[in-house]
């Protein structure tokens, strides 16, 4: 058994049942084989063993009272995975499917993603199995306050800086920040990102992940002689990432024809009217199926998986992990898809990724392609430290520049390690080398 296989087996043994974490580690370790060949010294200092083990895991009880006075108990998590290149940084996910394996996979991927941004941020992630859907504002606020009553001990602007993710947007970040400020008696703006503009948030943070995805895919298409003009696009999700990916793709002349939420998908052959989606999802917090009551030419289909049977040039999975499985990948290839841009984290299974690569479909991997969100969070931290505000254009320009650089780093690492055009391996290698270098320099810690 090779060194990397041994480490993978050990990860599976030591983290039983955490299947998403196993999957994320496996995908990365496969890419690192040529790196280990070139750097046998990593084995002597157990660098990979340390890389796959979080520096710290915090799990805690989150009790809260609903509007009827009933007590609920949720579970909170924060995984501080790797601080070799900077303070831990990564979002909080509130979704009933959250358990330790999900938070570990997200935290692990975050290390490489944050490294790729070129900014000084380490990797972490957190969240809870709390479901904000169907809760009143007061209930969400009470939950957030209780969550922060424990989390505040473990975070800080130079220690660990959480942000949003699924189920955590500006509303939740606001409640979390308010409680942190109350407990600490300090306006420590840099402790959370994704804040409202009135209290230290950054312009373009809301748009950053979706826009960044479209910038990365633009570079990838250009490297292969293509662009967005008149391309048909299918996007899964109708949340923060999906909405702004749709907006930027439309600005570049693509035709987005389908989007979804976890209940079902809409197909609008004339092109999605994004203002309607924003009104339904961002303002009214309604289901996507309401779209067809407003645009009667569009169709709604129950169930989300059917979205991948729609023929398209570019598929952008922006909802959740393992959204595109092998059979979806086969259908997309049969329908002549040209490129996949991963807006969500780990939205394609490892088998689906392999199938796309074997069939010469361009694949923009999540760690690189959705890094625009965390990169702009780091720009928010910079503005907080300097106590100033950059314009939307300034932040957007920096974001674009960062995404171009991430693409170039992934492209050249893939080439250097003998896998030109494989941006999955390229991103893993480029992200890893910087972290490994920092870990080497800091001794056995
Ligand atoms: P949101 O909560 O804003 O939106 C998530 C969207 O995906 C919703 O439309 C939701 O539908 C849908 N969704 C969630 N679970 C499922 C499911 N099981 N099947 C189908 N659809 C589902 O989250 P974000 O847009 O912020 O995050 C989306 C993805 O992007 C996640 O993987 C996240 O980790 C990743 N990401 C987010 C970043 C950010 O800055 N926000 C940064 C980098 C990555 P419903 O409302 O029905 O649940």
């Amino acid at each position: 058994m090779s060194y990397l296989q041994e480490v993978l087996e050990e990860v599976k043994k030591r983290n039983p049942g955490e299947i998403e974490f196993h999957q994320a580690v496996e995908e990365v370790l496969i890419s690192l084989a040529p790196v280990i060949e070139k750097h046998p010294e990593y084995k002597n200092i157990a660098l990979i063993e340390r890389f796959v083990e979080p520096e710290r895991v915090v799990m805690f009880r989150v009790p809260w009272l609903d509007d009827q006075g009933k007590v609920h108990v949720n579970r909170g998590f924060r995984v501080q995975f790797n601080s070799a290149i900077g303070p831990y940084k990564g979002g909080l996910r509130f979704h009933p499917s959250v358990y330790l394996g999900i938070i570990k996979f997200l935290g692990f991927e975050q290390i490489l993603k944050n490294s790729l941004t070129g900014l000084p941020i380490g990797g972490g992630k957190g969240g809870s199995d709390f479901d904000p859907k169907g809760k009143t504002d007061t209930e969400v606020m009470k939950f957030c306050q209780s969550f922060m009553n424990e989390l505040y001990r473990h975070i800080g602007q130079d220690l660990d800086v959480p942000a949003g993710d699924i189920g955590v947007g500006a509303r939740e970040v606001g409640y979390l920040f308010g409680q942190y400020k109350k407990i600490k008696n300090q306006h420590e703006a840099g402790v959370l990102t994704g804040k409202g503009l009135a209290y230290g948030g950054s312009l373009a943070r809301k748009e950053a992940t979706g826009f960044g995805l479209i910038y990365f895919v633009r570079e990838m298409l250009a490297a292969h002689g293509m662009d967005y003009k008149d391309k048909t696009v299918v996007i899964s999700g109708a949340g923060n990432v999906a909405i702004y990916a749709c907006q930027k793709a439309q600005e570049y002349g693509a035709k987005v024809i389908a989007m979804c939420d976890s209940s079902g998908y809409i197909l609008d052959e004339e092109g999605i009217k994004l203002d309607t989606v924003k009104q339904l999802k961002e303002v009214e917090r309604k289901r996507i199926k309401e779209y067809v009551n407003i645009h009667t030419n569009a169709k709604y289909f129950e169930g989300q998986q059917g979205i991948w049977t729609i023929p398209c040039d570019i598929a952008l999975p922006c909802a959740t992990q393992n959204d595109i499985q092998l059979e979806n990948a086969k259908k997309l290839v049969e329908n002549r898809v040209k490129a996949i841009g991963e807006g969500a984290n780990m939205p394609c299974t490892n088998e689906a990724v392999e199938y796309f690569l074997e069939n010469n479909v361009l694949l923009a991997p999540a760690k690189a392609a959705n890094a625009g969100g965390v990169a702009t969070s780091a720009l928010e931290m910079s503005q907080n430290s300097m106590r100033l505000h950059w314009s939307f254009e300034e932040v957007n320009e920096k974001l674009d520049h960062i995404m171009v650089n991430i693409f170039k780093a992934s492209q050249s690492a893939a080439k250097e390690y003998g896998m030109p055009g494989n941006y999955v391996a390229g991103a893993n290698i480029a992200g890893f080398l910087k972290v490994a270098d920092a870990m080497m320099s800091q001794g056995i810690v």
Side-chain angles (χ1 to χ4, degrees):
M1 217 190 280
S2 74
Y3 169 46
L4 292 171
Q5 274 167 336
E6 276 171 29
V7 175
L8 178 62
E9 288 314 310
E10 199 58 22
V11 165
K12 288 181 180 167
K13 213 162 77 194
R14 284 162 65 93
N15 303 277
E18 297 176 3
I19 50 175
E20 296 83 2
F21 180 48
H22 303 168
Q23 180 184 339
V25 171
E26 182 163 20
E27 190 242 0
V28 170
L29 294 194
I30 287 171
S31 306
L32 296 185
V35 178
I36 296 300
E37 217 165 280
K38 206 165 168 180
H39 294 278
E41 70 277 15
Y42 289 165
K43 187 176 173 184
N44 305 335
I45 56 164
L47 193 126
I48 305 292
E49 289 90 326
R50 287 188 283 137
F51 177 61
V52 297
E53 187 69 22
E55 288 175 19
R56 186 177 301 113
V57 173
V58 187
M59 265 173 73
F60 50 98
R61 178 173 73 201
V62 190
W64 58 280
L65 273 173
D66 69 18
D67 291 350
Q68 279 68 50
K70 185 170 182 285
V71 182
H72 298 262
V73 181
N74 284 98
R75 188 171 281 176
F77 303 88
R78 188 72 187 164
V79 173
Q80 299 178 330
F81 223 116
N82 192 303
S83 61
I85 60 175
Y88 311 105
K89 178 96 196 81
L92 297 171
R93 176 176 291 190
F94 292 169
H95 193 271
S97 63
V98 164
Y99 78 107
L100 192 54
I102 295 265
I103 301 298
K104 273 198 201 157
F105 115 66
L106 290 164
F108 179 69
E109 298 226 312
Q110 197 81 41
I111 307 168
L112 299 173
K113 180 185 315 199
N114 293 3
S115 164
L116 280 167
T117 65
L119 300 164
I121 38 180
K125 197 85 187 187
S128 172
D129 56 2
F130 173 73
D131 186 1
K133 244 181 252 150
K135 305 289 188 301
T136 64
D137 275 355
T138 321
E139 289 170 336
V140 171
M141 180 181 76
K142 285 188 192 155
F143 173 81
C144 289
Q145 290 174 340
S146 179
F147 186 80
M148 188 52 85
N149 284 346
E150 174 60 36
L151 188 71
Y152 87 94
R153 294 174 224 281
H154 312 288
I155 61 175
Q157 59 189 3
D158 296 316
L159 167 62
D160 184 355
V161 182
D165 191 78
I166 291 179
V168 180
R171 174 182 64 169
E172 290 75 16
V173 171
Y175 294 145
L176 291 163
F177 184 73
Q179 188 67 0
Y180 183 84
K181 186 164 61 71
K182 171 105 183 151
I183 298 169
K184 299 285 291 224
N185 198 28
Q186 269 177 23
H187 198 287
E188 189 188 327
V191 71
L192 284 165
T193 58
K195 297 182 293 295
L197 293 178
Y199 60 99
S202 175
L203 285 161
R205 173 60 188 91
K206 182 174 70 174
E207 293 82 358
T209 309
F211 279 20
L213 168 68
I214 298 303
Y215 298 151
F216 186 97
V217 173
R218 178 196 65 203
E219 295 304 300
M220 182 175 77
L221 291 173
H224 297 266
M226 290 184 274
D227 62 23
Y228 283 110
K229 194 91 192 79
D230 300 325
K231 297 285 185 303
T232 304
V233 178
V234 166
I235 302 179
S236 69
N240 175 261
V241 180
I243 285 175
Y244 293 95
C246 178
Q247 181 170 323
K248 191 49 83 178
Q250 290 179 337
E251 278 173 34
Y252 280 130
K255 190 173 182 190
V256 180
I257 56 167
M259 292 180 85
C260 73
D261 58 23
S262 58
S263 310
Y265 67 95
I266 50 164
L267 172 64
D268 188 341
E269 302 274 8
E270 290 170 14
I272 295 282
K273 315 299 180 293
L274 193 59
D275 284 348
T276 305
V277 177
K278 283 186 182 175
Q279 178 66 24
L280 289 173
K281 298 309 267 188
E282 291 188 328
V283 182
E284 298 173 21
R285 296 181 188 272
K286 286 194 175 149
R287 307 310 294 159
I288 195 109
K289 72 170 165 212
E290 304 273 342
Y291 181 97
V292 299
N293 298 334
I294 301 159
H295 303 287
T296 47
N297 61 299
K299 295 191 190 94
Y300 174 74
F301 300 87
E302 248 342 290
Q304 179 266 343
Q305 282 281 296
I307 199 169
W308 303 122
T309 62
I310 302 170
C312 62
D313 300 307
I314 301 170
L316 304 175
C318 296
T320 193
Q321 64 277 352
N322 293 330
D323 183 1
I324 298 187
Q325 317 217 346
L326 183 59
E327 63 269 30
N328 308 119
K330 286 184 175 164
K331 192 73 196 164
L332 283 160
V333 169
E334 192 186 313
N335 286 334
R336 298 179 183 281
V337 71
K338 296 178 178 67
I340 312 290
E342 295 188 329
N345 286 309
M346 206 165 76
C348 300
T349 62
N350 291 351
E351 295 74 30
V353 169
E354 215 172 292
Y355 191 78
F356 286 132
L357 295 178
E358 278 166 15
N359 285 277
N360 298 319
V361 175
L362 298 177
L363 201 146
K367 285 180 209 88
N370 73 23
V374 73
T376 308
S377 276
L379 300 178
E380 182 175 331
M381 289 160 75
S382 302
Q383 293 170 79
N384 294 151
S385 300
M386 294 186 286
R387 294 178 195 282
L388 53 77
H389 238 82
W390 292 327
S391 68
F392 187 95
E393 290 70 26
E394 266 176 295
V395 179
N396 189 31
E397 203 175 297
K398 288 186 202 318
L399 166 66
D400 196 337
H401 187 67
I402 289 169
M403 297 315 295
V404 170
N405 284 340
I406 296 177
F407 176 74
K408 286 185 182 153
S410 310
Q411 185 186 37
S412 68
K415 216 185 218 166
E416 189 188 332
Y417 283 86
M419 295 171 273
N422 181 344
Y423 305 111
V424 178
N428 283 337
I429 294 170
F432 173 77
L433 286 172
K434 188 172 153 198
V435 177
D437 189 36
M439 287 176 74
M440 284 278 282
S441 315
Q442 292 169 22
I444 312 293
V445 286

